[in-house]
Amino acid sequence: GESVGLHLPTLSVQEGDNSIINCAYSNSASDYFIWYKQESGKGPQFIIDIRSNMDKRQGQRVTVLLNKTVKHLSLQIAATQPGDSAVYFCAENPDPSGGYNKLIFGAGTRLAVHP
Amino acid sequence: GAVVSQHPSRVICKSGTSVKIECRSLDFQATTMFWYRQFPKQSLMLMATSNEGSKATYEQGVEKDKFLINHASLTLSTLTVTSAHPEDSSFYICSAPIGGTGGAGEQFFGPGTRLTVL
């Protein structure tokens, strides 16, 4: 079935370092991908998104890279801060026909930032 | 930004009772909302799509008679867990999308409701 998975369940980094969180997706028809941040006991918070007609998109301290050839998505966080500690999920929209489509979430990666 | 609220944020109930969870879009209208369930240290699993003015669409494996969804207005969807049992204990999260042309609109998530069934 359709699935979105992650290579690393946990990632520990030093404050100030760059973080890279990876995600693999299986549905080649997916055309929209989103990264969410979830802090303990809270709902997911939108970080950045990218459409399949792009391979890179940058935000404030974050960059998402999309490699459609190998169906791989990554989130890069520059100068990681303690406040970045959370669980990060990638999500895909498997139905590109438009409208309000449901999202399929990956397993999640916990990012732990150490001082 | 758009805000989605949920009420209650936390609920503890006895086995066999029913629990209602509300999801509200505070500053926008949402004809569609989504309900997710998240077990500890796991990902979000979509349960159903709530549609204003029509029946909800449930994902495979989700019992519609167990999880009643009512999209009462353009700003409110409710999820009722009927005859709750300990295995229903979970974190329930709703989301509502805004806009979206040629694809999914940005979805805003509620803060979640922690349900504990004793």
Side-chain angles (χ1 to χ4, degrees):
Chain A
E2 297 169 350
S3 67
V4 178
L6 295 177
H7 296 302
L8 298 172
T10 58
L11 178 64
S12 294
V13 300
Q14 291 295 122
E15 181 178 359
D17 287 352
N18 297 332
S19 302
I20 300 176
I21 300 172
N22 296 302
C23 176
Y25 64 94
S26 59
N27 190 335
S28 57
S30 294
D31 77 334
Y32 179 59
F33 305 87
I34 314 105
W35 279 101
Y36 288 96
K37 173 186 180 183
Q38 186 180 30
E39 296 175 314
S40 181
K42 298 183 179 180
Q45 177 185 0
F46 174 91
I47 301 174
I48 192 168
D49 59 359
I50 189 168
R51 295 199 178 276
S52 59
N53 61 352
M54 303 173 69
D55 54 19
K56 181 179 180 179
R57 192 168 185 217
Q58 289 185 294
Q60 188 176 16
R61 279 203 308 121
V62 295
T63 300
V64 55
L65 298 177
L66 174 62
N67 185 331
K68 295 181 289 294
T69 302
V70 296
K71 291 185 283 189
H72 184 268
L73 192 69
S74 69
L75 175 69
Q76 299 178 0
I77 304 174
T80 313
Q81 303 169 359
D84 294 327
S85 295
V87 178
Y88 290 79
F89 294 97
C90 63
E92 66 175 322
N93 165 26
D95 180 5
S97 61
Y100 302 142
N101 296 300
K102 59 190 180 186
L103 298 175
I104 296 175
F105 279 78
T109 292
R110 179 172 297 281
L111 177 64
V113 183
H114 303 286
Chain B
V3 176
V4 175
S5 71
Q6 285 185 238
H7 178 80
S9 59
R10 188 181 296 267
V11 58
I12 300 174
C13 69
K14 293 182 178 180
S15 183
T17 61
S18 294
V19 175
K20 180 184 286 187
I21 303 170
E22 295 184 347
C23 176
R24 293 181 185 272
S25 54
L26 297 185
D27 50 3
F28 65 100
Q29 293 182 336
T31 56
T32 301
M33 292 183 176
F34 299 94
W35 286 98
Y36 295 84
R37 179 168 54 183
Q38 185 178 32
F39 292 108
K41 299 184 180 181
Q42 294 188 23
S43 188
L44 283 74
M45 184 190 75
L46 180 67
M47 299 175 66
T49 303
S50 176
N51 304 298
E52 192 271 335
S54 64
K55 292 182 179 180
T57 305
Y58 291 83
E59 294 301 301
Q60 189 173 8
V62 178
E63 301 174 58
K64 60 181 181 181
D65 295 331
K66 171 79 172 175
F67 299 99
L68 301 180
I69 291 174
N70 181 27
H71 203 125
S73 73
L74 289 173
T75 60
L76 173 65
S77 174
T78 60
L79 169 69
T80 300
V81 183
T82 61
S83 187
H85 291 284
E87 57 265 31
D88 298 322
S89 298
S90 188
F91 194 49
Y92 292 86
I93 307 171
C94 70
S95 72
I98 289 184
T101 55
E106 183 174 347
Q107 290 201 33
F108 293 89
F109 285 80
T113 296
R114 174 76 59 193
L115 170 63
T116 302
V117 184
L118 303 177

